[in-house]
Amino acid sequence: MKPIRVWMAPPGPNPWKVVFVLEELQVPFEIVSFKFDNIKKPPFIDLNPNGRVPAIEDPNTDIVLWESGAIINYILEQYDAKKTLSFDTVKEKHQVQQWLFFQCSGQGPYFGQAGWFNVLHPERIPSCMNRYNAEVHRILSVLEGWLSGESDIKNKGQPKKWLVGDKMTIADMSFVPWNDRIDATISCAPEDKFKGYPHVQAWHERMISLPSWKAAMEMRAAKMDEQGLMWNGMPKGMKSFQEYEAKIAAGEDTGPREN
Ligand SMILES: N[C@@H](CCC(=O)N[C@@H](CS)C(=O)NCC(=O)O)C(=O)O
């Protein structure tokens, strides 16, 4: 098969969801990496009129697709005939979709806004920071309640390894890129990012130890480096978020934005 082209600006978490799945399935792909500044301009806007990454082009089927959840579902339908990362039983199949939709509509946008108001927005607006930080914690609580079994009325109190059934699926994988950067998103110490959420922490660590995630993060480091960006998205040479904030407040060019 010909490699799938994954269009991305490397700082944001959403494209890495797709790369994680492609790596896990060992589906050939190539990355088209471009600067965040060009996200609402051609050629990318011609592929995705919403101007957000990721988008894919699959020359094997001639499809162009955007929205990470739709992309992941497509990849599974086309290239995971054995359903290694999904289910074909009615209940489990739809529960996987339920968690995937929750990730795309609940975790992604709210964590993104938390990151925006905590880190990137030029003004400190406590009411906005509080609202989105509270949402981050609320979403982590939903995951913790489910994984611990506390909120599962059918199997109350029985902890789970995975969100659905007895194996890792795209539902689990989709949460990894944003959960991996909670500390940067809500500005807390890395060791505190899952404080109070032990089941979420164990679940997350199970996934970030996979070779597929490690490979994705190595690719991210290389693509960030190509653009002169550090791991956290700040331009190289900037020593702290305080320095970064001061430059943003002074209206200086601070490189890419994300949400
Ligand atoms: N719902 C979209 C969200 C995509 C998204 O927001 N991507 C961010 C980077 S992770 C982006 O492109 N932001 C560009 C912008 O805010 O202009 C998806 O899941 O693909």
Side-chain angles (χ1 to χ4, degrees):
M1 75 174 269
K2 294 182 195 149
I4 296 175
R5 274 190 295 281
V6 181
W7 287 70
M8 66 156 72
N14 284 299
W16 300 105
K17 209 191 296 179
V18 172
V19 171
F20 187 18
V21 172
L22 288 167
E23 274 289 328
E24 187 61 28
L25 293 175
Q26 294 287 291
V27 173
F29 69 98
E30 61 193 18
I31 290 176
V32 184
S33 168
F34 60 95
K35 287 192 130 187
F36 227 91
D37 314 25
N38 296 331
I39 220 158
K40 300 279 192 282
K41 299 178 191 163
F44 186 65
I45 197 87
D46 297 332
L47 286 178
N48 178 0
N50 191 34
R52 288 189 169 220
V53 288
I56 62 159
E57 286 179 284
D58 185 349
N60 304 290
T61 56
D62 199 30
I63 195 172
V64 172
L65 213 53
W66 42 277
E67 281 296 322
S68 58
I71 293 171
I72 289 174
N73 275 338
Y74 166 78
I75 291 166
L76 290 201
E77 194 177 306
Q78 286 296 316
Y79 302 111
D80 186 24
K82 292 190 186 140
K83 309 255 181 252
T84 55
L85 297 180
S86 61
F87 290 96
D88 56 7
T89 43
V90 171
K91 191 173 80 176
E92 286 79 9
K93 179 170 140 184
H94 289 282
Q95 286 173 338
V96 165
Q97 291 301 308
Q98 165 202 283
W99 286 106
L100 182 63
F101 274 62
F102 174 59
Q103 188 281 320
C104 291
S105 66
Q107 188 217 31
Y110 285 88
F111 280 41
Q113 293 305 311
W116 174 265
F117 283 110
N118 285 316
V119 182
L120 295 169
H121 193 63
E123 283 173 70
R124 307 279 86 186
I125 309 177
S127 55
C128 294
M129 291 157 70
N130 293 343
R131 163 160 169 79
Y132 290 107
N133 289 347
E135 272 299 302
V136 168
H137 284 290
R138 199 188 62 76
I139 286 154
L140 288 172
S141 303
V142 172
L143 292 168
E144 181 67 20
W146 184 252
L147 290 166
S148 68
E150 273 317 297
S151 64
D152 183 354
I153 47 160
K154 298 220 182 242
N155 298 290
K156 196 148 179 76
Q158 277 178 41
K160 301 177 201 330
K161 231 174 137 180
W162 306 111
L163 290 173
V164 182
D166 55 0
K167 66 180 186 195
M168 181 179 78
T169 65
I170 50 163
D172 304 287
M173 296 170 81
S174 68
F175 283 90
V176 172
W178 270 115
N179 276 350
D180 207 45
R181 56 170 75 185
I182 288 176
D183 45 342
T185 304
I186 61 170
S187 301
C188 73
E191 60 275 17
D192 288 341
K193 73 179 183 189
F194 292 117
K195 206 169 165 185
Y197 310 105
H199 293 85
V200 175
Q201 179 166 7
W203 169 66
H204 181 74
E205 286 172 358
R206 218 170 282 137
M207 290 187 279
I208 59 168
S209 65
L210 293 171
S212 51
W213 177 252
K214 289 187 179 154
M217 288 304 93
E218 276 166 27
M219 276 174 230
R220 182 177 186 271
K223 297 294 170 199
M224 295 290 275
D225 197 50
E226 269 173 27
Q227 294 190 12
L229 300 171
M230 296 188 291
W231 186 91
N232 57 11
M234 290 196 289
K236 276 184 193 162
M238 235 174 262
K239 291 184 188 60
S240 66
F241 274 103
Q242 284 73 19
E243 187 185 340
Y244 191 32
E245 281 171 1
K247 284 195 191 288
I248 292 171
E252 287 178 38
D253 178 14
T254 49
R257 291 280 200 275
E258 61 184 79
N259 58 37

